[in-house]
Amino acid sequence: MGVEDTPSEAESGVVYSTVQGKTCPDCGKPVKACTCKQSNTAPGDGKVRISRETKGRKGKGVTLISGIPLAGEDLKNLAKSLKQKCGVGGTIKDGIIEIQGDHRNLLLQELTRLGYNAKKSGG
């Protein structure tokens, strides 16, 4: 039996291997790399907060949106639509959406329209 004839560990039903450790019975990936049982939502209190910050940005203001119960691709899609609505750029850092400029009123209306319990925070 050559190297090509040997079934891979996922195909052979290996439950434990010294190479990878324990594997997930659902997806066959190592337990540390398994994503099938992880939650797709970020932890939060359910309140979306919209604030403005200039600290560390040489006086340039950004609008921060935190507490959104989304993660991954869903959060990226929401950030993209909000940036398009404001007509500016932005990014996502540690689950917080940063939109360039002061767009708190517009973002508050848009997030409320999308069904989020949003409110302004800070000064």
Side-chain angles (χ1 to χ4, degrees):
M1 195 180 245
V3 175
E4 299 165 340
D5 298 334
T6 329
S8 69
E9 291 180 3
E11 295 172 348
S12 66
V14 174
V15 176
Y16 183 83
S17 169
T18 56
V19 176
Q20 298 176 355
K22 294 183 181 180
T23 58
C24 175
D26 296 329
C27 63
K29 295 181 181 178
V31 172
K32 291 181 180 179
C34 174
T35 57
C36 62
K37 292 187 179 177
Q38 292 179 357
S39 165
N40 287 339
T41 60
D45 60 358
K47 293 180 184 168
V48 178
R49 291 179 174 84
I50 303 170
S51 61
R52 181 175 179 269
E53 185 176 284
T54 57
K55 187 175 180 182
R57 293 178 172 82
K58 299 181 182 178
K60 306 283 186 184
V62 295
T63 304
L64 302 176
I65 305 168
S66 60
I68 295 187
L70 298 174
E73 200 63 34
D74 294 332
L75 187 62
K76 287 180 185 179
N77 292 334
L78 176 63
K80 182 178 179 179
S81 69
L82 293 175
K83 290 186 294 186
Q84 287 175 343
K85 184 77 173 174
C86 296
V88 296
T91 187
I92 301 172
K93 291 183 182 175
D94 300 324
I96 298 174
I97 299 174
E98 295 183 5
I99 306 286
Q100 295 174 351
D102 186 5
H103 300 281
R104 291 178 287 181
N105 294 330
L106 179 62
L107 291 170
L108 179 64
Q109 291 173 356
E110 185 64 18
L111 289 169
T112 304
R113 188 185 66 80
L114 292 172
Y116 291 101
N117 182 13
K119 67 177 188 176
K120 289 184 185 179
S121 69

